[in-house]
Amino acid sequence: MFNKYNVIVVGAGHAGCEAAAAAANLGSSTLLITMNMGVIAQMSCNPAIGGVAKGQIVREIDAIGGYTGIIADKSTIQFRMLNKSKGPAMWSPRTQNDRMRFAEEWRLQLEAIPNLDMWQDTVKEVIVENGRAKGVITSLGIRIESDAVILTNGTFLNGIIHIGEKKFGGGRTGEKSATGLTEQLVSLGFESGRMKTGTPPRIDGRSLNYTLMEEQWGDEEKSRFSYTDVAMPTEQRCCWITYTNDKVHEVLKTGFEKSPMFTGRIKGLGPRYCPSIEDKINRFAERERHQIFVEPEGFQTVEIYVNGFSTSLPEDVQQKALRLIPGFENAKMYRPGYAIEYDYFPPMQLDLTLETLKVKNLFFAGQINGTTGYEEAAAQGLIAGINAHQKINDLHELIMKRSESYIGVLIDDLVTKGTEEPYRMFTSRAEHRLLLRQDNADIRLSPIGHKLGLISDERLRKVEEKISNSDKLVEHMKQLSVSPESINDILTRENSSPITQKARMFNMLTRPQINIYHLAEADTDFKQILDQYDKESVEQAEIKVKYDSYFEKEIEIVNKMKKMEDKEINPNFDYSSLTSLSIEAREKLLKVKPRTLGQASRISGVSPSDISVLMVHMS
Ligand SMILES: Cc1cc2nc3c(=O)[nH]c(=O)nc-3n(C[C@H](O)[C@H](O)[C@H](O)COP(=O)(O)OP(=O)(O)OC[C@H]3O[C@@H](n4cnc5c(N)ncnc54)[C@H](O)[C@@H]3O)c2cc1C
């Protein structure tokens, strides 16, 4: 460790790892400081990556040149493409992961990056001079200077862990909380808030009776997050499903009077969509049972994650209730579930680059910004790492658009609207989700990664090849026809009405029951053509044919909104002098400092008439 770096990243969680890797890969000398180098990239809660909307984010990270997808692929114990029966905008890759291997692969990845140093210590203070971040001071009293600082402290800032009536300081179970930093940032004028989250108990898998549970295997045809050819484990491990019942609920209720949630000892708001089991039985009292996913923590370990049973009830109540779940009669607990409260910084204090508005060259990424989830954290880390490097080298900043990525939606939502409860990504948050699919993240974003220097020429060439291959295939389908004799049996089998005369393959493929392989089955010449192309190009061609008209309409909408989205506002614009704006709009615009008219229009409290005033004034 030296005493001067270009970029210092604080915290080696999902955000910190991506941030440090990006800054170093772009050429900045980077120091990653973390409290405990034994727990780099720890999956604090479930050993899984991706899922609905989150899987799309991971593919976007990969397309720009981040590592979360690669690391997830290397540690996959089970892969599933969720929502395959719906349209492609909903297809969402998700993996179960080997928790220890995930962390190890990240560590090895970081160690392989030149320009990247690591240091185990706790950062107590950010050095700020003339409104600019200049480095950090650690708990060992060491002063390390830098041109930019990225804070990715996760759930550690003044973290308090709750189990029943017991509470103690901690950033995660078994780890200390980080103190001092919030107070310093508040003294600099930052606003902070409090949030909470929770996690289920972990069990010794040898004590479970799996014959009483339903098996759940991953997809037979395994896919991957990364667009690179990273080697994946060949085996997969089974997960199981079981259910709670009345008896489990009755036992859990006996702990309610000691529950830190119900007695009001926890003040922070928790993630609405990951409720604890006590919350579920309290809020949905009419439900007789709740689903429990029994998930292995890795290939070799016997430890089991009890997904759906997050709780902060007393540990003896947790143990008693668990043993009433089918298959858990003899369950031995390794670690109790717990809740954690921590500080976050409302993200309206950030620019779209994730630099803070108050202190220049200081960036925040991850759970510190009020988000929840590894994927959301990793995406912010990547963007903060890129922008820190770009800023200190006077290079163009990277602002992701809502119309081009979920990452753009995430950051724009945070910065423009703020969040009072842990923010997680959903497909419904993206107005252009038809365009933001997992299958085309490489097409959308690899040029950005390549321009920055994070994606190689070879990778970009592969993306260009995928585009041209899929175009060629679509062209073939426009030219080629199938006869009633060759396809009618297949149509009848697939419950699609037979044809009476020759039809273009392109038109046949627009039928919902028909896929591209049915066309190959009907026509051996087309099969030979199809065999020459890789799976991703074939899938892309099929999606293009089936959904092109929807995509075109969506692109039209994006283009219509482009005028507003591209209309830049001077960051020093004096809203206070524009008295025709409502008072609320003036206050909010001054606080957020929107970059564009489009961003201004999304700020809550800024009405369409305020936008008209701005438009008139700007023109
Ligand atoms: C109990 C619990 C339950 C959770 N449940 C869910 C859930 O159900 N669903 C979900 O999506 N997400 C859940 N999460 C959240 C998920 O773990 C986080 O969203 C994700 O890990 C955030 O990544 P991050 O990089 O921002 O922070 P973290 O992964 O928390 O990493 C922060 C890192 O910073 C380091 N650090 C902190 N302060 C300092 C300092 N001052 N100096 C040096 N190093 C420091 C820490 O050691 C750690 O390595 C849960 C988290 C916890 C703790």
Side-chain angles (χ1 to χ4, degrees), residues 275-410:
S276 62
I277 186 71
E278 51 268 33
D279 221 10
K280 284 191 268 191
I281 58 179
N282 195 36
R283 273 179 21 207
F284 311 109
E286 72 291 353
R287 299 258 312 257
E288 284 168 10
R289 62 179 201 170
H290 293 280
Q291 204 169 33
I292 301 291
F293 294 94
V294 179
E295 299 175 342
E297 293 253 343
F299 279 112
Q300 259 98 43
T301 177
V302 296
E303 190 164 358
I304 291 287
Y305 178 86
V306 193
N307 193 344
F309 204 84
S310 169
T311 178
S312 56
L313 292 174
E315 67 283 1
D316 56 331
V317 177
Q318 297 185 25
Q319 171 82 66
K320 231 164 122 184
L322 272 172
R323 288 195 167 186
L324 295 165
I325 297 175
F328 280 64
E329 292 76 6
N330 299 308
K332 288 187 198 160
M333 216 157 61
Y334 269 167
R335 321 176 197 212
Y338 66 94
I340 183 165
E341 266 189 299
Y342 54 92
D343 295 336
Y344 81 106
F345 288 85
M348 281 165 91
Q349 304 174 89
L350 301 172
D351 190 7
L352 290 168
T353 56
L354 296 180
E355 186 182 14
T356 68
L357 295 172
K358 280 214 161 57
V359 175
K360 295 291 148 213
N361 297 15
L362 176 64
F363 295 75
F364 291 173
Q367 194 118 352
I368 190 175
N369 288 337
T371 57
T372 175
Y374 314 131
E375 305 78 2
E376 289 84 347
Q380 293 170 67
L382 175 65
I383 302 303
I386 291 170
N387 277 321
H389 170 87
Q390 300 293 95
K391 172 88 194 276
I392 60 181
N393 289 289
D394 284 330
L395 296 168
H396 69 91
E397 60 199 9
L398 177 63
I399 293 182
M400 305 294 290
K401 294 199 184 91
R402 294 182 75 91
S403 56
E404 73 188 355
S405 64
Y406 273 97
I407 302 178
V409 173
L410 167 73

Side-chain angles (χ1 to χ4, degrees), residues 54-331:
K54 288 165 170 271
Q56 284 85 326
I57 291 182
V58 178
R59 296 213 95 186
E60 290 180 0
I61 292 172
D62 187 73
I64 299 171
Y67 290 105
T68 299
I70 292 175
I71 305 292
D73 285 344
K74 285 184 175 175
S75 57
T76 292
I77 65 170
Q78 197 186 89
F79 180 97
R80 281 151 65 85
M81 185 65 82
L82 307 181
N83 289 332
K84 205 59 213 261
S85 59
K86 298 185 181 162
M90 294 305 288
W91 299 354
S92 307
R94 181 184 188 274
T95 52
Q96 281 302 135
N97 293 81
D98 184 312
R99 182 192 303 278
M100 285 179 269
R101 197 175 288 184
F102 184 91
E104 185 189 8
E105 291 290 354
W106 246 124
R107 165 98 186 225
L108 295 176
Q109 184 62 61
L110 294 175
E111 287 178 6
I113 299 176
N115 279 338
L116 178 55
D117 289 353
M118 289 188 255
W119 178 249
Q120 176 171 300
D121 206 340
T122 301
V123 167
K124 288 282 181 193
E125 193 181 323
V126 178
I127 305 167
V128 178
E129 286 169 15
N130 302 322
R132 193 168 285 266
K134 289 284 190 185
V136 298
I137 297 174
T138 73
S139 62
L140 292 175
I142 302 171
R143 182 186 167 95
I144 312 164
E145 290 182 4
S146 65
D147 302 316
V149 174
I150 305 174
L151 295 184
T152 69
N153 303 70
T155 51
F156 284 69
L157 294 173
N158 291 322
I160 294 181
I161 290 175
H162 295 261
I163 304 174
E165 289 176 313
K166 294 164 201 156
K167 69 172 191 175
F168 46 91
R172 230 171 357 217
T173 180
E175 292 176 68
K176 281 198 291 191
S177 60
T179 54
L181 207 46
T182 303
E183 293 71 15
Q184 189 225 349
L185 291 171
V186 168
S187 76
L188 290 171
F190 283 96
E191 220 182 286
S192 74
R194 211 75 178 132
M195 281 184 176
K196 81 119 202 162
T197 188
T199 197
R202 313 297 200 270
I203 308 293
D204 178 345
R206 293 168 301 181
S207 63
L208 299 183
N209 179 359
Y210 298 103
T211 59
L212 298 178
M213 308 180 202
E214 296 160 28
E215 283 189 351
Q216 195 188 43
W217 288 96
D219 292 351
E220 253 171 58
E221 196 194 348
K222 213 159 43 171
S223 192
R224 59 175 71 231
F225 282 115
S226 179
Y227 294 98
T228 63
D229 297 328
V230 50
M232 292 176 73
T234 47
E235 299 160 57
Q236 58 164 296
R237 272 198 75 177
C238 183
C239 297
W240 293 268
I241 296 176
T242 183
Y243 297 89
T244 61
N245 52 46
D246 276 357
K247 288 184 188 143
V248 177
H249 300 178
E250 285 315 310
V251 170
L252 288 171
K253 282 180 195 162
T254 64
F256 278 14
E257 60 189 25
K258 291 184 179 167
S259 156
M261 296 224 315
F262 298 147
T263 51
R265 279 198 303 284
I266 292 183
K267 300 273 183 299
L269 273 177
R272 182 185 296 257
Y273 305 96
C274 288
S276 62
I277 186 71
E278 51 268 33
D279 221 10
K280 284 191 268 191
I281 58 179
N282 195 36
R283 273 179 21 207
F284 311 109
E286 72 291 353
R287 299 258 312 257
E288 284 168 10
R289 62 179 201 170
H290 293 280
Q291 204 169 33
I292 301 291
F293 294 94
V294 179
E295 299 175 342
E297 293 253 343
F299 279 112
Q300 259 98 43
T301 177
V302 296
E303 190 164 358
I304 291 287
Y305 178 86
V306 193
N307 193 344
F309 204 84
S310 169
T311 178
S312 56
L313 292 174
E315 67 283 1
D316 56 331
V317 177
Q318 297 185 25
Q319 171 82 66
K320 231 164 122 184
L322 272 172
R323 288 195 167 186
L324 295 165
I325 297 175
F328 280 64
E329 292 76 6
N330 299 308

Side-chain angles (χ1 to χ4, degrees), residues 84-91 434-435 437 439 506 509-512 514 539-555:
K84 205 59 213 261
S85 59
K86 298 185 181 162
M90 294 305 288
W91 299 354
L434 278 183
L435 304 178
R437 305 183 312 275
D439 60 273
F506 185 95
L509 192 52
T510 56
R511 294 186 174 199
I514 298 306
E539 183 186 78
Q540 200 53 216
E542 181 167 14
I543 290 172
K544 267 188 196 168
V545 174
K546 281 192 176 295
Y547 302 96
D548 214 28
S549 57
Y550 300 101
F551 299 158
E552 269 173 21
K553 272 187 211 132
E554 199 60 47
I555 290 167

